[in-house]
mmCIF file of all heavy atoms in Angstrom:
data_model
loop_
_atom_site.group_PDB
_atom_site.id
_atom_site.type_symbol
_atom_site.label_atom_id
_atom_site.label_comp_id
_atom_site.label_asym_id
_atom_site.label_seq_id
_atom_site.Cartn_x
_atom_site.Cartn_y
_atom_site.Cartn_z
ATOM 1 N N LEU B 65 -5.882 13.874 28.381
ATOM 2 C CA LEU B 65 -6.374 15.149 27.877
ATOM 3 C C LEU B 65 -7.165 15.797 28.997
ATOM 4 O O LEU B 65 -8.103 15.153 29.591
ATOM 5 C CB LEU B 65 -7.277 14.919 26.675
ATOM 6 C CG LEU B 65 -7.911 16.200 26.041
ATOM 7 C CD1 LEU B 65 -6.830 17.155 25.522
ATOM 8 C CD2 LEU B 65 -8.907 15.810 24.968
ATOM 9 N N ASP B 66 -6.847 17.048 29.284
ATOM 10 C CA ASP B 66 -7.562 17.845 30.254
ATOM 11 C C ASP B 66 -8.089 19.088 29.543
ATOM 12 O O ASP B 66 -7.322 20.051 29.376
ATOM 13 C CB ASP B 66 -6.657 18.207 31.465
ATOM 14 C CG ASP B 66 -7.387 18.922 32.582
ATOM 15 O OD1 ASP B 66 -8.467 19.529 32.300
ATOM 16 O OD2 ASP B 66 -6.927 18.817 33.705
ATOM 17 N N THR B 67 -9.339 19.074 29.140
ATOM 18 C CA THR B 67 -9.862 20.199 28.340
ATOM 19 C C THR B 67 -10.072 21.474 29.191
ATOM 20 O O THR B 67 -10.037 22.574 28.679
ATOM 21 C CB THR B 67 -11.189 19.821 27.659
ATOM 22 O OG1 THR B 67 -12.074 19.309 28.644
ATOM 23 C CG2 THR B 67 -11.010 18.762 26.589
ATOM 24 N N SER B 68 -10.212 21.227 30.513
ATOM 25 C CA SER B 68 -10.367 22.447 31.393
ATOM 26 C C SER B 68 -9.084 23.203 31.476
ATOM 27 O O SER B 68 -9.056 24.426 31.586
ATOM 28 C CB SER B 68 -10.825 22.027 32.766
ATOM 29 O OG SER B 68 -9.820 21.241 33.409
ATOM 30 N N LYS B 69 -7.944 22.491 31.394
ATOM 31 C CA LYS B 69 -6.635 23.122 31.423
ATOM 32 C C LYS B 69 -6.047 23.306 30.008
ATOM 33 O O LYS B 69 -4.978 23.877 29.882
ATOM 34 C CB LYS B 69 -5.664 22.316 32.284
ATOM 35 C CG LYS B 69 -6.043 22.232 33.751
ATOM 36 C CD LYS B 69 -5.018 21.437 34.519
ATOM 37 C CE LYS B 69 -5.425 21.399 36.024
ATOM 38 N NZ LYS B 69 -4.444 20.560 36.794
ATOM 39 N N LYS B 70 -6.776 22.788 29.005
ATOM 40 C CA LYS B 70 -6.307 22.858 27.669
ATOM 41 C C LYS B 70 -4.883 22.256 27.565
ATOM 42 O O LYS B 70 -3.960 22.961 27.078
ATOM 43 C CB LYS B 70 -6.352 24.264 27.083
ATOM 44 C CG LYS B 70 -7.764 24.793 26.913
ATOM 45 C CD LYS B 70 -7.784 26.143 26.201
ATOM 46 C CE LYS B 70 -9.141 26.530 25.739
ATOM 47 N NZ LYS B 70 -10.155 26.610 26.754
ATOM 48 N N SER B 71 -4.770 21.073 28.039
ATOM 49 C CA SER B 71 -3.451 20.421 28.023
ATOM 50 C C SER B 71 -3.566 18.934 27.804
ATOM 51 O O SER B 71 -4.615 18.321 28.065
ATOM 52 C CB SER B 71 -2.704 20.711 29.366
ATOM 53 O OG SER B 71 -3.327 20.067 30.393
ATOM 54 N N SER B 72 -2.501 18.335 27.268
ATOM 55 C CA SER B 72 -2.421 16.894 27.035
ATOM 56 C C SER B 72 -1.003 16.446 27.351
ATOM 57 O O SER B 72 -0.067 17.228 27.317
ATOM 58 C CB SER B 72 -2.753 16.622 25.611
ATOM 59 O OG SER B 72 -2.538 15.280 25.266
ATOM 60 N N SER B 73 -0.901 15.174 27.695
ATOM 61 C CA SER B 73 0.420 14.586 27.857
ATOM 62 C C SER B 73 0.520 13.269 27.141
ATOM 63 O O SER B 73 -0.492 12.584 26.970
ATOM 64 C CB SER B 73 0.703 14.377 29.375
ATOM 65 O OG SER B 73 -0.147 13.414 29.876
ATOM 66 N N LEU B 74 1.682 12.979 26.687
ATOM 67 C CA LEU B 74 2.044 11.716 26.009
ATOM 68 C C LEU B 74 3.072 11.019 26.857
ATOM 69 O O LEU B 74 4.147 11.587 27.120
ATOM 70 C CB LEU B 74 2.549 11.971 24.611
ATOM 71 C CG LEU B 74 3.131 10.698 23.921
ATOM 72 C CD1 LEU B 74 2.004 9.695 23.575
ATOM 73 C CD2 LEU B 74 3.850 11.102 22.597
ATOM 74 N N LEU B 75 2.774 9.811 27.311
ATOM 75 C CA LEU B 75 3.697 8.980 28.071
ATOM 76 C C LEU B 75 4.157 7.813 27.201
ATOM 77 O O LEU B 75 3.298 7.058 26.694
ATOM 78 C CB LEU B 75 3.074 8.522 29.382
ATOM 79 C CG LEU B 75 3.808 7.446 30.186
ATOM 80 C CD1 LEU B 75 5.093 7.995 30.756
ATOM 81 C CD2 LEU B 75 2.944 6.873 31.305
ATOM 82 N N ILE B 76 5.391 7.650 27.090
ATOM 83 C CA ILE B 76 5.957 6.444 26.406
ATOM 84 C C ILE B 76 6.651 5.614 27.521
ATOM 85 O O ILE B 76 7.590 6.081 28.171
ATOM 86 C CB ILE B 76 6.983 6.807 25.355
ATOM 87 C CG1 ILE B 76 6.373 7.741 24.289
ATOM 88 C CG2 ILE B 76 7.507 5.525 24.688
ATOM 89 C CD1 ILE B 76 7.336 8.250 23.282
ATOM 90 N N THR B 77 6.149 4.382 27.730
ATOM 91 C CA THR B 77 6.722 3.584 28.787
ATOM 92 C C THR B 77 7.789 2.673 28.251
ATOM 93 O O THR B 77 7.765 2.360 27.061
ATOM 94 C CB THR B 77 5.627 2.710 29.439
ATOM 95 O OG1 THR B 77 5.014 1.896 28.443
ATOM 96 C CG2 THR B 77 4.528 3.592 30.053
ATOM 97 N N ALA B 78 8.714 2.277 29.084
ATOM 98 C CA ALA B 78 9.758 1.343 28.762
ATOM 99 C C ALA B 78 10.386 1.739 27.414
ATOM 100 O O ALA B 78 10.406 0.981 26.428
ATOM 101 C CB ALA B 78 9.231 -0.073 28.668
ATOM 102 N N SER B 79 10.961 2.923 27.384
ATOM 103 C CA SER B 79 11.433 3.481 26.130
ATOM 104 C C SER B 79 12.582 2.633 25.501
ATOM 105 O O SER B 79 13.272 1.916 26.205
ATOM 106 C CB SER B 79 11.928 4.945 26.342
ATOM 107 O OG SER B 79 12.987 4.933 27.226
ATOM 108 N N ARG B 80 12.667 2.748 24.201
ATOM 109 C CA ARG B 80 13.708 2.034 23.413
ATOM 110 C C ARG B 80 14.495 3.049 22.607
ATOM 111 O O ARG B 80 13.981 4.154 22.299
ATOM 112 C CB ARG B 80 13.030 1.013 22.537
ATOM 113 C CG ARG B 80 12.124 0.070 23.185
ATOM 114 C CD ARG B 80 11.265 -0.646 22.183
ATOM 115 N NE ARG B 80 10.305 -1.573 22.880
ATOM 116 C CZ ARG B 80 9.301 -2.205 22.231
ATOM 117 N NH1 ARG B 80 9.102 -1.959 20.945
ATOM 118 N NH2 ARG B 80 8.510 -2.992 22.924
ATOM 119 N N ALA B 81 15.684 2.703 22.218
ATOM 120 C CA ALA B 81 16.479 3.571 21.364
ATOM 121 C C ALA B 81 15.703 3.970 20.103
ATOM 122 O O ALA B 81 15.838 5.071 19.622
ATOM 123 C CB ALA B 81 17.828 2.928 21.033
ATOM 124 N N ALA B 82 14.915 3.051 19.617
ATOM 125 C CA ALA B 82 14.171 3.293 18.375
ATOM 126 C C ALA B 82 13.056 4.370 18.580
ATOM 127 O O ALA B 82 12.433 4.832 17.570
ATOM 128 C CB ALA B 82 13.562 1.974 17.852
ATOM 129 N N ASP B 83 12.768 4.716 19.842
ATOM 130 C CA ASP B 83 11.759 5.767 20.065
ATOM 131 C C ASP B 83 12.343 7.155 19.869
ATOM 132 O O ASP B 83 11.610 8.137 19.899
ATOM 133 C CB ASP B 83 11.248 5.660 21.514
ATOM 134 C CG ASP B 83 10.432 4.385 21.769
ATOM 135 O OD1 ASP B 83 9.779 3.864 20.783
ATOM 136 O OD2 ASP B 83 10.460 3.912 22.894
ATOM 137 N N THR B 84 13.623 7.267 19.645
ATOM 138 C CA THR B 84 14.306 8.531 19.418
ATOM 139 C C THR B 84 13.701 9.194 18.192
ATOM 140 O O THR B 84 13.690 8.589 17.079
ATOM 141 C CB THR B 84 15.812 8.338 19.207
ATOM 142 O OG1 THR B 84 16.382 7.893 20.439
ATOM 143 C CG2 THR B 84 16.471 9.649 18.786
ATOM 144 N N ALA B 85 13.118 10.382 18.415
ATOM 145 C CA ALA B 85 12.390 11.075 17.312
ATOM 146 C C ALA B 85 11.844 12.374 17.925
ATOM 147 O O ALA B 85 12.031 12.663 19.083
ATOM 148 C CB ALA B 85 11.223 10.251 16.818
ATOM 149 N N SER B 86 11.247 13.158 17.059
ATOM 150 C CA SER B 86 10.522 14.348 17.484
ATOM 151 C C SER B 86 9.005 14.015 17.618
ATOM 152 O O SER B 86 8.498 13.263 16.737
ATOM 153 C CB SER B 86 10.669 15.535 16.512
ATOM 154 O OG SER B 86 12.016 15.988 16.555
ATOM 155 N N TYR B 87 8.399 14.501 18.683
ATOM 156 C CA TYR B 87 6.971 14.165 18.895
ATOM 157 C C TYR B 87 6.195 15.489 18.888
ATOM 158 O O TYR B 87 6.583 16.464 19.562
ATOM 159 C CB TYR B 87 6.831 13.459 20.229
ATOM 160 C CG TYR B 87 7.379 12.093 20.163
ATOM 161 C CD1 TYR B 87 8.757 11.875 20.331
ATOM 162 C CD2 TYR B 87 6.586 10.944 19.917
ATOM 163 C CE1 TYR B 87 9.330 10.599 20.257
ATOM 164 C CE2 TYR B 87 7.153 9.690 19.855
ATOM 165 C CZ TYR B 87 8.510 9.516 19.973
ATOM 166 O OH TYR B 87 9.041 8.252 19.921
ATOM 167 N N PHE B 88 5.091 15.503 18.114
ATOM 168 C CA PHE B 88 4.290 16.674 17.976
ATOM 169 C C PHE B 88 2.866 16.419 18.398
ATOM 170 O O PHE B 88 2.282 15.379 18.040
ATOM 171 C CB PHE B 88 4.241 17.150 16.489
ATOM 172 C CG PHE B 88 5.598 17.566 15.956
ATOM 173 C CD1 PHE B 88 6.509 16.695 15.425
ATOM 174 C CD2 PHE B 88 5.956 18.883 15.986
ATOM 175 C CE1 PHE B 88 7.713 17.061 14.927
ATOM 176 C CE2 PHE B 88 7.195 19.331 15.498
ATOM 177 C CZ PHE B 88 8.065 18.410 14.930
ATOM 178 N N CYS B 89 2.272 17.414 19.096
ATOM 179 C CA CYS B 89 0.834 17.326 19.298
ATOM 180 C C CYS B 89 0.161 18.166 18.181
ATOM 181 O O CYS B 89 0.789 19.111 17.713
ATOM 182 C CB CYS B 89 0.447 17.823 20.704
ATOM 183 S SG CYS B 89 0.677 19.557 20.980
ATOM 184 N N ALA B 90 -1.057 17.823 17.852
ATOM 185 C CA ALA B 90 -1.785 18.549 16.842
ATOM 186 C C ALA B 90 -3.221 18.644 17.248
ATOM 187 O O ALA B 90 -3.829 17.601 17.638
ATOM 188 C CB ALA B 90 -1.662 17.842 15.460
ATOM 189 N N THR B 91 -3.785 19.849 17.210
ATOM 190 C CA THR B 91 -5.157 20.010 17.620
ATOM 191 C C THR B 91 -6.029 20.172 16.396
ATOM 192 O O THR B 91 -5.676 20.791 15.413
ATOM 193 C CB THR B 91 -5.322 21.251 18.524
ATOM 194 O OG1 THR B 91 -4.755 22.390 17.850
ATOM 195 C CG2 THR B 91 -4.636 21.029 19.840
ATOM 196 N N ASP B 92 -7.236 19.541 16.502
ATOM 197 C CA ASP B 92 -8.233 19.629 15.433
ATOM 198 C C ASP B 92 -9.386 20.411 16.003
ATOM 199 O O ASP B 92 -10.184 19.880 16.809
ATOM 200 C CB ASP B 92 -8.622 18.178 15.046
ATOM 201 C CG ASP B 92 -9.769 18.214 14.016
ATOM 202 O OD1 ASP B 92 -10.226 19.275 13.608
ATOM 203 O OD2 ASP B 92 -10.190 17.105 13.642
ATOM 204 N N GLY B 93 -9.571 21.618 15.538
ATOM 205 C CA GLY B 93 -10.683 22.419 15.974
ATOM 206 C C GLY B 93 -11.592 22.824 14.846
ATOM 207 O O GLY B 93 -12.405 23.708 14.940
ATOM 208 N N SER B 94 -11.433 22.103 13.762
ATOM 209 C CA SER B 94 -12.102 22.477 12.502
ATOM 210 C C SER B 94 -13.495 21.919 12.422
ATOM 211 O O SER B 94 -13.840 20.969 13.196
ATOM 212 C CB SER B 94 -11.304 21.996 11.310
ATOM 213 O OG SER B 94 -11.035 20.612 11.402
ATOM 214 N N SER B 95 -14.281 22.436 11.594
ATOM 215 C CA SER B 95 -15.639 21.928 11.308
ATOM 216 C C SER B 95 -15.655 21.452 9.865
ATOM 217 O O SER B 95 -14.756 21.770 9.082
ATOM 218 C CB SER B 95 -16.674 23.058 11.488
ATOM 219 O OG SER B 95 -16.393 24.141 10.663
ATOM 220 N N GLY B 96 -16.632 20.685 9.527
ATOM 221 C CA GLY B 96 -16.751 20.179 8.169
ATOM 222 C C GLY B 96 -15.925 18.886 8.011
ATOM 223 O O GLY B 96 -15.402 18.329 8.982
ATOM 224 N N SER B 97 -15.872 18.412 6.816
ATOM 225 C CA SER B 97 -15.294 17.065 6.602
ATOM 226 C C SER B 97 -13.795 17.120 6.453
ATOM 227 O O SER B 97 -13.146 16.124 6.731
ATOM 228 C CB SER B 97 -15.890 16.478 5.308
ATOM 229 O OG SER B 97 -15.582 17.305 4.211
ATOM 230 N N ALA B 98 -13.226 18.206 6.115
ATOM 231 C CA ALA B 98 -11.759 18.328 6.039
ATOM 232 C C ALA B 98 -11.184 18.650 7.345
ATOM 233 O O ALA B 98 -11.577 19.654 7.957
ATOM 234 C CB ALA B 98 -11.332 19.336 5.010
ATOM 235 N N ARG B 99 -10.293 17.865 7.900
ATOM 236 C CA ARG B 99 -9.771 18.028 9.213
ATOM 237 C C ARG B 99 -8.449 18.811 9.187
ATOM 238 O O ARG B 99 -7.442 18.344 8.761
ATOM 239 C CB ARG B 99 -9.516 16.714 9.858
ATOM 240 C CG ARG B 99 -10.675 15.727 9.780
ATOM 241 C CD ARG B 99 -12.011 16.301 10.063
ATOM 242 N NE ARG B 99 -12.157 16.800 11.430
ATOM 243 C CZ ARG B 99 -13.308 17.327 11.871
ATOM 244 N NH1 ARG B 99 -14.340 17.427 11.091
ATOM 245 N NH2 ARG B 99 -13.366 17.711 13.136
ATOM 246 N N GLN B 100 -8.572 20.141 9.589
ATOM 247 C CA GLN B 100 -7.404 20.977 9.615
ATOM 248 C C GLN B 100 -6.744 20.894 10.939
ATOM 249 O O GLN B 100 -7.365 21.052 11.976
ATOM 250 C CB GLN B 100 -7.840 22.427 9.323
ATOM 251 C CG GLN B 100 -6.722 23.413 9.269
ATOM 252 C CD GLN B 100 -7.221 24.781 8.907
ATOM 253 O OE1 GLN B 100 -8.403 24.978 8.593
ATOM 254 N NE2 GLN B 100 -6.347 25.783 8.974
ATOM 255 N N LEU B 101 -5.467 20.611 10.941
ATOM 256 C CA LEU B 101 -4.690 20.466 12.187
ATOM 257 C C LEU B 101 -3.763 21.629 12.409
ATOM 258 O O LEU B 101 -3.234 22.232 11.467
ATOM 259 C CB LEU B 101 -3.883 19.185 12.160
ATOM 260 C CG LEU B 101 -4.616 17.847 12.022
ATOM 261 C CD1 LEU B 101 -3.663 16.717 11.953
ATOM 262 C CD2 LEU B 101 -5.588 17.682 13.159
ATOM 263 N N THR B 102 -3.562 21.953 13.693
ATOM 264 C CA THR B 102 -2.561 22.952 14.083
ATOM 265 C C THR B 102 -1.545 22.279 14.946
ATOM 266 O O THR B 102 -1.913 21.711 15.989
ATOM 267 C CB THR B 102 -3.232 24.137 14.823
ATOM 268 O OG1 THR B 102 -4.257 24.697 14.069
ATOM 269 C CG2 THR B 102 -2.190 25.213 15.167
ATOM 270 N N PHE B 103 -0.291 22.262 14.515
ATOM 271 C CA PHE B 103 0.780 21.502 15.177
ATOM 272 C C PHE B 103 1.512 22.335 16.218
ATOM 273 O O PHE B 103 1.721 23.545 16.027
ATOM 274 C CB PHE B 103 1.761 20.964 14.150
ATOM 275 C CG PHE B 103 1.240 19.796 13.398
ATOM 276 C CD1 PHE B 103 0.416 20.008 12.279
ATOM 277 C CD2 PHE B 103 1.526 18.519 13.798
ATOM 278 C CE1 PHE B 103 -0.100 18.905 11.581
ATOM 279 C CE2 PHE B 103 1.007 17.423 13.114
ATOM 280 C CZ PHE B 103 0.229 17.642 11.953
ATOM 281 N N GLY B 104 1.954 21.657 17.250
ATOM 282 C CA GLY B 104 2.820 22.288 18.212
ATOM 283 C C GLY B 104 4.260 22.328 17.751
ATOM 284 O O GLY B 104 4.568 21.911 16.666
ATOM 285 N N SER B 105 5.065 22.822 18.631
ATOM 286 C CA SER B 105 6.517 23.037 18.233
ATOM 287 C C SER B 105 7.341 21.761 18.408
ATOM 288 O O SER B 105 8.470 21.721 17.911
ATOM 289 C CB SER B 105 7.105 24.154 19.074
ATOM 290 O OG SER B 105 6.816 23.920 20.455
ATOM 291 N N GLY B 106 6.830 20.797 19.076
ATOM 292 C CA GLY B 106 7.537 19.497 19.136
ATOM 293 C C GLY B 106 8.499 19.328 20.313
ATOM 294 O O GLY B 106 8.999 20.302 20.806
ATOM 295 N N THR B 107 8.652 18.074 20.730
ATOM 296 C CA THR B 107 9.639 17.678 21.676
ATOM 297 C C THR B 107 10.607 16.677 21.025
ATOM 298 O O THR B 107 10.164 15.710 20.458
ATOM 299 C CB THR B 107 8.981 16.973 22.887
ATOM 300 O OG1 THR B 107 8.187 17.923 23.601
ATOM 301 C CG2 THR B 107 10.025 16.419 23.830
ATOM 302 N N GLN B 108 11.842 17.026 21.091
ATOM 303 C CA GLN B 108 12.911 16.103 20.589
ATOM 304 C C GLN B 108 13.340 15.103 21.682
ATOM 305 O O GLN B 108 13.868 15.496 22.685
ATOM 306 C CB GLN B 108 14.115 16.870 20.128
ATOM 307 C CG GLN B 108 15.317 16.014 19.730
ATOM 308 C CD GLN B 108 15.028 15.081 18.551
ATOM 309 O OE1 GLN B 108 14.515 15.537 17.537
ATOM 310 N NE2 GLN B 108 15.317 13.801 18.719
ATOM 311 N N LEU B 109 12.937 13.826 21.458
ATOM 312 C CA LEU B 109 13.228 12.804 22.437
ATOM 313 C C LEU B 109 14.458 12.000 22.001
ATOM 314 O O LEU B 109 14.504 11.530 20.851
ATOM 315 C CB LEU B 109 12.040 11.833 22.620
ATOM 316 C CG LEU B 109 12.309 10.626 23.504
ATOM 317 C CD1 LEU B 109 12.543 11.023 24.921
ATOM 318 C CD2 LEU B 109 11.107 9.650 23.404
#
Side-chain angles (χ1 to χ4, degrees):
Chain B
L65 179 64
D66 186 335
T67 53
S68 66
K69 295 181 179 178
K70 292 186 167 58
S71 66
S72 173
S73 67
L74 172 68
L75 169 68
I76 303 174
T77 60
S79 63
R80 306 166 182 169
D83 293 330
T84 294
S86 292
Y87 292 82
F88 295 87
C89 67
T91 53
D92 175 1
S94 53
S95 59
S97 60
R99 313 315 297 183
Q100 181 178 354
L101 299 178
T102 304
F103 284 83
S105 51
T107 294
Q108 172 62 50
L109 173 66

